[in-house]
Amino acid sequence: MRPKVLKHKKTAFSSKKSSQSKDRWILSYADFITLLFAFFVALYSISIQNAGNDELISETLEGIFDAVQKSVQPISIGEPTTNEIQSESLFEVDPKETEEEEQPGIDIPDPSSQLFDQLSQLIANQLEEYNSAGLISISEDQDWIKVDLKASLLFSTGEYELTNDAVAILIPVTSLLKQFKYPIIVEGHTDDLAINSVNYTTNWHLSSERASSVVDEMIFRGMSSQLIAPIGFSSLHPQVRNTNEFAREQNRRVTLRISKVNGESIYDLLFK
């Protein structure tokens, strides 16, 4: 008769061995999943390397081991892609660029255009009487705004002292112009007839004195002396041919030539 103790030990050993055999599949399954995971990681890395982005490979592998997936690119199946992988930084939007895109076609008004419009309104509203009579006019080109004032409106015949009408016109015009920093050349023009005066020997003298009188008045009314200067042109630049008295009257004038470029002084505009 066998000892009971031996039978007891045999039973316990068999039970322990049976339990270990029962759980062994877990180990094999874990090894399979690990190998499968490594296989797909290798495939993904190869596909990215073919695209030529080593930095993204490193980033992706680090993300895998840190349990944080940084890449949003799908795993390539089949033929490797030849397109370059775009960096996430390409999708970042600059707020300044967004504002510009949201406001297409909005142009900042040109200050010189504003000045031309305001001068035109001033002449049409406050100086309409002189404008209708052809004594004052305004025009512009690419570089200048020009305000023409007929000599008969500003001066008595053969004189350079301003009339009351001239002062009444220059007050609102100067009030507007001094708000801007545009250099102004005041041009004096005469007709081609020889001057007949004891005070002036030539039309050069008369045209210069008349331009200076306008400049003095505008400076007195607040215009910066750094931004304005007189020039006399005698009869060198007529508006029309001096064929009769009416034509000569058109040529006797003072022109405010206003630059469309901001400047610190009239000297810089003319000589620098």
Side-chain angles (χ1 to χ4, degrees):
M1 190 172 156
R2 296 179 179 180
K4 293 181 178 181
V5 63
L6 294 175
K7 185 178 181 180
H8 175 72
K9 287 183 178 181
K10 184 178 180 180
T11 303
F13 177 76
S14 299
S15 176
K16 183 176 180 182
K17 183 177 181 180
S18 175
S19 175
Q20 290 177 350
S21 299
K22 180 179 179 182
D23 296 332
R24 186 173 181 80
W25 69 273
I26 297 176
L27 218 55
S28 299
Y29 180 77
D31 291 340
F32 172 77
I33 293 299
T34 301
L35 291 173
L36 186 62
F37 178 73
F39 174 73
F40 279 110
V41 169
L43 283 180
Y44 185 38
S45 300
I46 292 172
S47 68
I48 295 177
Q49 189 171 15
N50 288 337
N53 195 333
D54 296 336
E55 183 179 352
L56 189 55
I57 294 174
S58 176
E59 181 181 298
T60 303
L61 292 176
E62 288 178 4
I64 292 171
F65 291 112
D66 292 341
V68 178
Q69 186 68 18
K70 294 183 180 179
S71 175
V72 296
Q73 300 293 332
I75 298 175
S76 176
I77 304 298
E79 294 295 329
T81 179
T82 57
N83 295 331
E84 295 183 0
I85 298 177
Q86 296 181 346
S87 172
E88 293 180 2
S89 62
L90 296 178
F91 299 96
E92 296 178 359
V93 180
D94 190 344
K96 296 181 179 179
E97 295 179 357
T98 304
E99 292 177 1
E100 292 177 358
E101 292 176 358
E102 292 177 350
Q103 300 178 354
I106 298 179
D107 297 327
I108 300 176
D110 183 1
S112 64
S113 297
Q114 293 182 4
L115 174 57
F116 179 81
D117 292 340
Q118 293 181 37
L119 276 172
S120 299
Q121 292 178 4
L122 173 65
I123 293 172
N125 297 332
Q126 299 186 37
L127 307 176
E128 192 274 335
E129 177 184 356
Y130 306 110
N131 185 33
S132 300
L135 299 175
I136 182 171
S137 62
I138 184 172
S139 61
E140 70 171 337
D141 55 28
Q142 184 177 354
D143 301 315
W144 303 91
I145 297 172
K146 294 185 290 183
V147 179
D148 285 312
L149 304 168
K150 293 296 182 286
S152 59
L153 174 64
L154 303 178
F155 313 100
S156 300
T157 303
E159 298 294 333
Y160 71 92
E161 293 182 356
L162 294 172
T163 63
N164 292 334
D165 285 338
V167 174
I169 292 171
L170 291 176
I171 288 176
V173 170
T174 304
S175 179
L176 176 58
L177 291 178
K178 69 183 182 181
Q179 299 177 30
F180 298 83
K181 287 189 175 182
Y182 295 121
I184 302 171
I185 299 173
V186 178
E187 304 173 352
H189 301 274
T190 66
D191 57 32
D192 63 342
L193 295 179
I195 195 167
N196 184 18
S197 172
V198 295
N199 297 321
Y200 310 105
T201 57
T202 65
N203 282 321
W204 286 103
H205 191 188
L206 179 60
S207 62
S208 300
E209 288 288 352
R210 285 181 168 179
S212 297
S213 294
V214 173
V215 168
D216 287 341
E217 181 65 27
M218 293 180 71
I219 292 175
F220 177 74
R221 300 297 173 180
M223 191 72 201
S224 171
S225 60
Q226 298 293 321
L227 295 175
I228 192 168
I231 298 180
F233 284 104
S234 185
S235 59
L236 289 184
H237 298 287
Q239 285 186 325
V240 295
R241 295 178 62 185
N242 290 287
T243 55
N244 53 55
E245 179 55 31
F246 178 79
R248 291 186 176 92
E249 184 179 356
Q250 306 308 308
N251 292 330
R252 295 192 293 266
R253 69 197 188 280
V254 170
T255 299
L256 306 183
R257 185 181 291 270
I258 306 160
S259 172
K260 287 187 174 182
V261 179
N262 278 323
E264 294 299 326
S265 72
I266 189 68
Y267 183 87
D268 294 340
L269 174 68
L270 296 177
F271 304 109
K272 288 188 179 181

